[in-house]
Amino acid sequence: MREIRLASRPSGWPTADNFDLVELPTPEPGPGQVLVRNRFMSVDPYMRGRMNDVESYVAPFQVGKPLDGAAIGEVIASDVAEVPVGATVLHGLGWRDHAVVDAGHVRVVDPAAAPTPSAYLGLLGMTGLTAYVGLLDIAQFREGDTVFVSGAAGAVGSVVGQIAKLRGAKRVIGSAGSAEKVRYLVDELGFDAAFNYKDAPVREQLRAAAPDGIDVYFDNVGGDHLEAAITSLNKFGRVALCGAIAQYNDTAPPAAPRNLALAIGKELTLRGFIVGNHSKRMPDFVAEVGGWLRAGQISAQETVVEGLENAPEAFLGLMRGENTGKMVIKL
Ligand code: NDP
């Protein structure tokens, strides 16, 4: 089997040198364990934070040890009757092609209920739930709201925009980093407006796209996007603070937002959240989003990179914006 280890900690943007691909004998499952042949693994922006040696809501990766993260695969050997050989399972030992996992740490899923097993890493998995919880529970989305979402062509953002449309938003606006992504948002996902944040200041482009202001901002980016949204938010506007990818590779504190005091007079709510603390919403999420998926009303676009050896480059590509929809690695 092969696995990818953290070779060293990056300062600023990671490079290929921070990762090591190691070959090992394939292990046997011990008591209470299963051996999984991973088919897909996830790369996610939060993994960048785990490369730093800092206290956070999730433990840092250890130098010399394998990285981990969500993966889906088939059980090829099992010591546990409830998780038999042939079962498709979701678990947390990605960044390797085979994994020995405690049976209590796998979730058996139905591969037939998804267009591809990798959907359990995206639309039907962590990023889909993040969109659902962040929009509906954290930002308290209501029918008739005007919604702005940044990182709109990514895994979380693309689902936020689609859920907002399906739940009766008045207007959905997205920002993304290329003309092609802007076209995708409007032509394929049904956004009412979208802009390329690299073309002109976000504040100007948002004001033009939302002349009557916005009620909800779903923040995947932070920085100047958050500052622009605070300016455009209407009275009692709500912000879901989901991510701040613009600053994950920065070595200095962000320069924006500089206008937070506007939140006082506008009586805004800005609320952060961690999806892992909202798993109780999983059944509602699976019922509603799964229903839209079966009805062909929601898209599960993915960017698929092949080969474990290409996972570090795909992870860097994710932070450079090379993905549309969820970035996954086929193993
Ligand atoms: P995405 O699929 O959205 O991929 C990341 C995208 O970020 C890239 O495609 C790129 O798109 C965009 N990006 C990169 N740098 C910048 C920048 N400087 N300014 C603006 N956009 C940038 O990733 P996810 O959907 O998995 O995650 C989206 C956000 O949600 C992240 O911030 C992540 O940390 C957060 N998150 C938070 C969770 C929580 O529990 N709070 C759970 C899951 C994710 P582009 O081409 O448009 O620049």
Side-chain angles (χ1 to χ4, degrees):
M1 67 165 281
R2 297 180 309 159
E3 67 183 24
I4 292 177
R5 296 182 180 171
L6 183 67
S8 56
R9 298 196 186 280
S11 165
W13 277 84
T15 65
D17 292 341
N18 299 128
F19 304 88
D20 251 348
L21 180 64
V22 178
E23 250 182 86
L24 303 158
T26 303
E28 299 283 326
Q33 294 184 322
V34 295
L35 174 64
V36 183
R37 170 67 175 90
N38 284 339
R39 294 295 173 198
F40 290 94
M41 59 163 268
S42 183
V43 286
D44 296 276
Y46 79 91
M47 293 170 175
R48 175 63 189 85
R50 296 186 67 193
M51 296 180 83
N52 299 336
D53 192 14
V54 290
E55 285 250 332
S56 180
Y57 61 92
V58 50
F61 295 132
Q62 295 300 315
V63 174
K65 296 270 163 50
L67 281 72
D68 59 72
I72 190 160
E74 284 153 31
V75 173
I76 57 169
S78 175
D79 179 60
V80 181
E82 295 76 37
V83 190
V85 169
T88 299
V89 293
L90 193 61
H91 62 91
L93 294 182
W95 293 94
R96 63 203 84 188
D97 50 23
H98 290 75
V100 167
V101 198
D102 290 341
H105 292 167
V106 307
R107 196 177 116 215
V108 178
V109 297
D110 177 7
T116 147
S118 52
Y120 286 106
L121 303 175
L123 178 66
L124 295 176
M126 189 273 280
T127 54
L129 182 64
T130 302
Y132 190 82
V133 165
L135 181 69
L136 303 181
D137 299 349
I138 306 300
Q140 296 276 306
F141 168 81
R142 294 188 290 260
E143 202 180 323
D145 278 345
T146 292
V147 175
F148 172 47
V149 54
S150 54
V156 174
S158 61
V159 179
V160 169
Q162 293 182 84
I163 295 177
K165 287 302 285 182
L166 287 159
R167 282 284 199 109
K170 179 174 172 201
R171 191 168 166 75
V172 175
I173 299 144
S175 69
S178 73
E180 201 181 318
K181 289 186 182 184
V182 166
R183 265 196 304 279
Y184 166 70
L185 294 174
V186 175
D187 295 347
E188 290 184 45
L189 299 188
F191 280 54
D192 299 285
F195 60 84
N196 179 350
Y197 66 86
K198 294 172 183 167
D199 282 350
V202 181
R203 186 189 298 238
E204 286 170 21
Q205 298 199 75
L206 179 58
R207 194 179 290 141
D212 298 328
I214 59 174
D215 305 300
V216 163
Y217 173 47
F218 193 107
D219 191 16
N220 286 316
V221 168
D224 56 347
H225 272 85
L226 179 55
E227 184 171 301
I230 290 170
T231 296
S232 275
L233 275 156
N234 295 325
K235 186 97 179 167
F236 301 118
R238 289 142 279 139
V239 179
L241 295 171
C242 176
I245 196 164
Q247 69 192 52
Y248 292 170
N249 290 307
D250 283 356
T251 47
R258 297 162 297 183
N259 58 350
L260 197 54
L262 285 178
I264 302 163
K266 294 189 188 191
E267 300 189 57
L268 304 181
T269 303
L270 290 87
R271 188 172 161 201
F273 71 106
I274 294 299
V275 66
N277 296 331
H278 294 265
S279 46
K280 64 179 183 311
R281 287 286 266 158
M282 201 64 173
D284 298 327
F285 158 72
V286 167
E288 191 162 14
V289 175
W292 286 325
L293 184 62
R294 281 192 297 279
Q297 289 175 290
I298 196 161
S299 145
Q301 164 110 15
E302 293 174 348
T303 299
V304 182
V305 169
E306 300 228 1
L308 180 66
E309 65 282 7
N310 295 318
E313 195 46 39
F315 171 60
L316 300 180
L318 171 79
M319 292 186 288
R320 288 191 297 256
E322 287 164 15
N323 60 309
T324 299
K326 180 78 184 93
M327 179 77 103
V328 292
I329 319 303
K330 191 165 191 285
L331 300 173

